[in-house]
């Protein structure tokens, strides 16, 4: 039973493929006039490649830890006390320790710096790749379960809650969400904004776990879960009724976190572009470049820490699917 449930989260990935795509796509509409033409032209790319970082997790060394930070692994209130800048962090902790507990917020800032450089070079491929990646990483640090060592409820007998909150709920219940977040704003100190996102997500963690316990007491096992066909397999999932009850109790939390992610992505893209000296993006549309499929070279999947609790077998099927889906759409002129 558990294996099938895990398989479902494997299909969906962090924030769920559905939510990551939605978040990246939606961020485009908050951009200022000087940017929105370029991003709208490439909106399918920005949307589809929102999940590339998850596809790289088992193929690229150093990728997995970019998606989370186990803030509570550093002790009480660590989320407020951890060094905000990577160099400061390296003065207190070894790089091995930092990476083993996740480098989410530092990586967000690092990716933003790379995006600024790509804008300066007017390197279309890099701008698109890094914009999509940055959207993914910003999305991840808004997920409460990406800020804790209890990332899949495995320490509190709530195994599977990761995919439930970030995949099942948005897929099932986000139809009526209002994703309007207003215009992108310049961030004076983006590294601190990334930490604010982590703090916000971490504060939401109590409700994520506690409410699931409360609702679970009201639902016997056979009502908590149901079966749905996924890719021809009869798969155990959290039931619609259980999902709705939980979602009601969370009182808009998933929607709020998705909206915060969307706004922050637009702010970061805009800030990177301003910091690069506001290059003329419309001129970059005149000579479309072809973007080729991203190829991951590996003989066997990396043995990285699982965030959604995939088994080895599922990991392999996940990778096979990744190859199938990882299409970098060539532009047509
Ligand atoms: Zn991720």
């Amino acid at each position: 039973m558990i294996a099938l449930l895990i398989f479902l989260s494997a299909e969906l990935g962090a924030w769920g493929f559905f939510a990551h795509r939605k978040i990246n796509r939606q961020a485009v509409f908050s951009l200022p006039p000087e940017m929105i033409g370029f991003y709208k032209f490439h909106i399918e790319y920005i949307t589809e490649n929102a999940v590339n970082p998850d596809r790289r997790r088992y193929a690229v060394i150093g990728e997995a830890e970019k998606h989370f930070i186990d803030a509570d692994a550093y002790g009480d209130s660590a989320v407020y006390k951890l060094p905000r800048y990577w160099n400061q962090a390296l003065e207190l902790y070894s790089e091995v320790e930092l990476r083993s507990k996740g480098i989410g917020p530092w990586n967000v800032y690092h990716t933003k710096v790379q995006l600024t450089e790509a804008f300066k070079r007017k390197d279309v491929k890099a701008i698109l790749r890094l914009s999509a990646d940055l959207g993914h990483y910003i999305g991840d640090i808004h997920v409460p379960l990406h800020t804790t060592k209890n990332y899949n409820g495995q320490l509190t007998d709530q195994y599977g809650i990761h995919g439930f909150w970030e995949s099942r709920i948005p897929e099932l219940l986000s139809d009526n969400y209002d994703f309007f977040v207003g215009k992108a704003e310049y961030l004076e100190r983006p590294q601190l904004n990334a930490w604010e996102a982590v703090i916000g997500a971490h504060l939401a963690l109590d409700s994520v776990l506690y409410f699931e316990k409360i609702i679970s007491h009201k639902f016997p096992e056979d009502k908590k879960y149901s079966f749905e066909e996924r890719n021809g397999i009869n798969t155990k999932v959290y039931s619609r009724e259980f999902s709705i009850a939980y979602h009601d109790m969370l009182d808009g939390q998933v929607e709020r976190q998705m909206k915060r992610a969307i706004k922050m992505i637009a702010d970061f893209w805009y800030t990177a572009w301003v910091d690069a000296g506001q290059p003329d993006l419309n001129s970059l549309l005149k000579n479309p470049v072809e973007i080729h499929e991203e190829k991951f070279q590996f003989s066997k999947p990396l043995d990285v820490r699982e965030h959604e609790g995939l088994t080895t077998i599922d990991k392999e099927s996940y990778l096979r699917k990744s190859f199938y889906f990882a299409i970098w759409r060539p532009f047509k002129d």
Side-chain angles (χ1 to χ4, degrees):
M1 284 300 189
I2 285 289
L4 289 175
L5 184 65
I6 294 162
F7 186 79
L8 173 64
S9 15
E11 287 296 300
L12 300 171
W15 244 131
F17 280 14
F18 169 84
H20 268 305
R21 286 194 178 105
K22 183 85 193 163
I23 287 169
N24 264 21
R25 187 179 194 89
Q26 217 45 48
V28 170
F29 299 100
S30 287
L31 292 171
E34 300 93 322
M35 296 181 77
I36 201 166
F38 178 84
Y39 277 82
K40 269 192 182 166
F41 184 81
H42 296 298
I43 196 162
E44 294 307 325
Y45 178 95
I46 294 288
T47 305
E48 290 307 309
N49 292 287
V51 292
N52 263 354
D54 277 341
R55 294 177 177 128
R56 287 198 296 263
R57 282 170 49 194
Y58 303 108
V60 176
I61 292 170
E63 179 62 41
E65 61 260 35
K66 294 179 177 175
H67 301 242
F68 62 90
I69 181 158
D70 293 348
D72 44 12
Y74 291 93
D76 277 352
S77 309
V79 77
Y80 299 102
K81 295 185 232 161
L82 279 164
R84 270 30 191 163
Y85 291 88
W86 181 241
N87 286 345
Q88 298 169 345
L90 285 174
E91 286 167 17
L92 285 181
Y93 306 96
S94 73
E95 183 160 354
V96 171
E97 179 174 7
L98 289 166
R99 288 190 179 276
S100 72
K101 291 172 178 158
I103 59 169
W106 296 299
N107 173 65
V108 162
Y109 182 65
H110 179 68
T111 309
K112 183 266 165 198
V113 171
Q114 289 180 298
L115 178 58
T116 303
E117 292 306 311
F119 275 128
K120 283 183 187 165
R121 297 196 307 273
K122 298 194 175 186
D123 180 341
V124 174
K125 285 185 195 179
I127 292 169
L128 292 175
R129 179 174 53 80
L130 290 162
S131 294
D133 281 3
L134 183 56
H136 181 101
Y137 297 134
I138 291 175
D140 275 356
I141 60 168
H142 283 81
V143 175
L145 290 158
H146 279 240
T147 69
T148 174
K149 59 188 175 187
N150 187 24
Y151 51 84
N152 201 12
Q154 77 278 19
L155 305 177
T156 46
D157 196 22
Q158 295 172 286
Y159 192 79
I161 193 169
H162 194 109
F164 179 42
W165 190 96
E166 69 173 26
S167 300
R168 176 75 171 154
I169 295 277
E171 277 213 334
L172 209 56
L173 300 168
S174 70
D175 273 356
N176 297 322
Y177 288 2
D178 169 15
F179 288 120
F180 182 73
V181 296
K183 286 186 185 1
E185 292 163 287
Y186 183 75
L187 304 172
E188 295 290 341
R189 298 167 83 187
Q191 177 67 91
L192 301 187
N193 295 91
W195 278 100
E196 277 166 28
V198 173
I199 290 171
H202 200 65
L203 286 173
L205 184 62
D206 263 357
S207 318
V208 170
L209 295 167
Y210 182 55
F211 293 169
E212 199 272 347
K213 285 269 186 209
I214 292 178
I215 305 289
S216 291
H217 285 307
K218 297 180 184 167
F219 280 73
E221 182 87 0
D222 65 327
K223 292 279 187 294
K224 178 173 177 176
Y225 299 103
S226 61
F227 285 86
E228 286 181 8
E229 197 182 301
R230 297 263 169 163
N231 301 302
I233 299 168
N234 204 22
T235 306
K236 188 182 179 189
V237 295
Y238 290 90
S239 73
R240 174 173 274 275
E241 293 70 27
F242 185 82
S243 303
I244 291 170
Y246 180 56
H247 188 250
D248 285 350
M249 196 161 199
L250 285 172
D251 195 22
Q253 186 196 67
V254 177
E255 181 177 11
R256 279 194 300 280
Q257 289 305 104
M258 285 181 82
K259 286 179 78 164
R260 284 174 185 156
I262 291 163
K263 177 62 164 53
M264 187 168 282
I265 290 166
D267 290 349
F268 265 74
W269 288 345
Y270 175 55
T271 301
W273 174 75
V274 170
D275 289 349
Q278 309 192 7
D280 179 6
L281 299 183
N282 292 328
S283 71
L284 301 181
L285 290 175
K286 286 181 191 136
N287 301 309
V289 294
E290 198 164 301
I291 294 182
H292 298 283
E293 198 172 323
E294 188 173 23
K295 293 255 193 298
F296 304 127
Q297 299 295 333
F298 65 95
S299 48
K300 65 183 177 80
L302 290 175
D303 190 17
V304 297
R305 146 91 169 256
E306 313 289 7
H307 225 76
E308 290 84 34
L310 311 185
T311 66
T312 305
I313 291 163
D314 294 331
K315 195 196 293 177
E316 275 156 13
S317 67
Y318 178 74
L319 278 166
R320 273 203 305 279
K321 260 196 127 49
S322 302
F323 280 104
Y324 180 70
F325 282 118
I327 298 162
W328 289 45
R329 282 151 197 256
F331 304 148
K332 295 203 180 75
D333 42 358

